[in-house]
Amino acid sequence: MDTGADAGRAYDVVLFGATGFVGELTAEYLAAHAPTECRWALAGRNRAGLTALRERLTASWPHCAELPLVVADAADPGSLRELAESARVVATTVGPYVWYGDGLVGACAEAGTDYVDLTGEAEFVDLTYVRHDARARETGARIVHACGFDSVPHDLGVYFTVQQLPEDVPLRVDGFVRAGAQFSGGTFASALTAFGRGREILRAAHERRLHEPRLVGRRARAPLGGPRFSRETGTWALPLPTLDPQVVARSAAALDRYGPDFRYRHYASVKTLPMALGGTAAIGASVAAAQLPPVRAWLMERYQAGQGPSAERRARSWFSVRFVGEGGGRRVFTEVSGGDPGYDETAKMLAESALSLAFDPLPKTSGQVTTAVAMGDALIGRLRSAGIRFRVAHRG
Ligand SMILES: NC(=O)c1ccc[n+]([C@@H]2O[C@H](COP(=O)([O-])OP(=O)(O)OC[C@H]3O[C@@H](n4cnc5c(N)ncnc54)[C@H](OP(=O)(O)O)[C@@H]3O)[C@@H](O)[C@H]2O)c1
């Protein structure tokens, strides 16, 4: 709620990148679901685009006619400073974040403004830790990356699973992701960018290790498992080296509830061996293609920024993440599931994360924090109310 430095801020929530594909879905979600007392604004680099978006929103939600518009550009540090100083929480969809994101994180850290984004880029998260975590701790800003399908269902799903297991014992959790969906130009650009930056990703991880205090007296790990047939789910499990397991390990390191020795393994779950082999080959081919700048540029051109799957396609999309947790002689099977993972549910997760930081009574945190650490129970409650399922399937 409005306290201290926050009291003079013009807005509770500002949505930056509102004119992009996920940005517009997030704006629609806020138009439909933000509480009436929430003072929120649309932000982006293009006033005409923002005005057109406001008109589209007003056609369905007349109360949006007066929505304030904030013009800011990722390349203009002064505009980012003004943006950060105007808000209690900034939610941004302006990516690839490794290209466009750092200035805004720095501005929020400096202004003591809470920040949420949709990054799935490990390099970006490590770099902002090195550059801005210390300042954010000083000002009280909460910097919460990965508030979309990367990594909310995985981070909160493991948090939920851990709550079903005994305290103060070593815990093991495996997560198995399945989805039926399509992706947008922005996501494709971010994935190709990441595939082409292997060396930079390793360098940023190394930098982070030099800065981050080591965990003392407990262990929290997320090693890459090998491919295997999972008897628990009856599917093939392929290791998924995304940002998600890193986020889970950071939550485990921060929260004693994950026990003295915690291990998480993250997998894609596929039904048959040919599908498993095909999936591995397709990812390998994309990584290989991204190493060649002309091929990467050609692929980027084929997927236009601002475009993504149609509403009909999204309505048929779904995701399910199953977890198997064990510890202290107990075993539990849980699941987080919902609709279109990359866009509809991602927009919902981003908007609810921003609203949670703005309005929920949360544990006191600051600096770079995960969704589980910053908002765990409150965000699970919000997402459940918004139709994302968290359930215990059975206990073994
Ligand atoms: N975590 C997840 O699960 C998940 C899911 C979906 C997307 N994402 C990520 O979210 C990001 C957005 O995806 P998208 O599909 O919405 O992409 P998009 O349609 O290309 O939107 C990008 C947005 O960034 C804005 N932008 C670009 N350069 C800018 C600058 N210099 N200053 C200010 N704004 C600028 C664009 O503004 P204009 O409209 O003016 O061009 C647009 O609003 C991507 O990084 C994607 O990887 C993550």
Side-chain angles (χ1 to χ4, degrees):
M1 310 305 301
D2 277 49
T3 54
D6 283 347
R9 306 279 167 117
Y11 310 115
D12 294 310
V13 174
V14 174
L15 175 62
F16 187 43
T19 52
F21 189 74
V22 191
E24 181 153 351
L25 293 174
T26 309
E28 289 174 2
Y29 188 87
L30 287 170
H33 301 284
T36 43
E37 73 271 20
C38 179
R39 302 161 306 152
W40 66 286
L42 302 170
R45 59 179 166 176
N46 174 345
R47 182 174 289 282
L50 291 171
T51 307
L53 169 61
R54 183 171 60 186
E55 280 166 15
R56 288 196 294 280
L57 294 174
T58 305
S60 301
W61 298 278
H63 65 273
C64 289
E66 302 301 321
L67 262 185
L69 307 180
V70 179
V71 177
D73 193 304
D76 174 359
S79 71
L80 297 180
R81 192 173 56 244
E82 280 178 29
L83 173 65
E85 288 174 353
S86 73
R88 294 174 57 231
V89 183
V90 173
T92 172
T93 73
V94 178
Y97 292 87
V98 79
W99 292 350
Y100 301 126
D102 185 70
L104 181 60
V105 178
C108 287
E110 197 56 44
T113 302
D114 294 328
Y115 165 100
V116 291
D117 72 21
L118 290 180
T119 193
E121 300 158 54
E123 179 190 359
F124 174 68
V125 173
D126 288 342
L127 287 177
T128 67
Y129 178 85
V130 171
R131 293 173 184 159
H132 307 300
D133 174 73
R135 185 64 183 139
R137 284 173 194 269
E138 284 167 10
T139 62
R142 293 170 288 189
I143 306 297
V144 194
H145 295 295
C147 293
F149 185 65
D150 299 292
S151 299
V152 167
H154 319 292
D155 191 26
L156 294 187
V158 174
Y159 178 88
F160 175 76
T161 306
V162 164
Q163 319 257 333
Q164 319 302 323
L165 291 167
E167 293 186 41
D168 300 323
V169 295
L171 299 179
R172 302 279 177 266
V173 180
D174 286 344
F176 302 90
V177 187
R178 288 172 59 223
Q182 255 182 9
F183 49 73
S184 72
T187 299
F188 191 71
S190 294
L192 266 190
T193 302
F195 287 162
R197 295 179 68 88
R199 225 172 290 137
E200 289 86 347
I201 291 170
L202 291 177
R203 200 178 308 132
H206 174 71
E207 275 278 295
R208 181 181 187 127
R209 277 195 298 278
L210 295 179
H211 282 78
E212 195 164 28
R214 280 178 190 274
L215 189 59
V216 181
R218 295 174 57 234
R219 296 214 302 167
R221 298 167 292 140
L224 197 61
R228 66 187 173 93
F229 184 77
S230 156
R231 262 180 292 133
E232 298 94 335
T233 59
T235 58
W236 286 87
L238 304 177
L240 259 189
T242 52
L243 177 64
D244 308 308
Q246 299 182 23
V247 170
V248 169
R250 281 175 199 138
S251 296
L255 298 173
D256 287 344
R257 181 61 182 86
Y258 285 63
D261 183 3
F262 178 85
R263 189 209 64 197
Y264 177 66
R265 292 183 305 190
H266 192 57
Y267 296 102
S269 184
V270 284
K271 280 214 167 114
T272 64
L273 187 56
M275 278 169 82
L277 295 173
T280 308
I283 292 172
S286 308
V287 173
Q291 309 312 308
L292 305 168
V295 181
R296 192 163 68 223
W298 180 80
L299 283 170
M300 288 266 199
E301 271 174 27
R302 304 192 68 79
Y303 286 87
Q304 295 296 314
Q307 291 181 5
S310 66
E312 295 72 36
R313 179 65 186 88
R314 296 199 312 274
R316 286 185 276 119
S317 300
W318 55 274
F319 79 89
S320 152
V321 194
R322 291 198 206 165
F323 299 94
V324 182
E326 16 186 328
R330 300 259 198 87
R331 204 164 196 225
V332 66
F333 295 74
T334 63
E335 183 181 29
V336 180
S337 60
D340 173 57
Y343 306 101
D344 292 344
E345 301 295 43
T346 281
K348 181 187 288 180
M349 292 172 201
L350 181 68
E352 291 291 359
S353 298
L355 293 172
S356 181
L357 288 181
F359 296 111
D360 292 342
L362 298 173
K364 189 157 175 48
T365 60
S366 61
Q368 191 184 96
V369 274
T370 65
T371 50
V373 173
M375 298 170 263
D377 296 320
L379 190 53
I380 289 177
R382 282 179 170 274
L383 295 177
R384 277 183 149 161
S385 303
I388 294 182
R389 290 173 294 283
F390 287 74
R391 70 182 184 107
V392 175
H394 60 102
R395 297 176 197 273

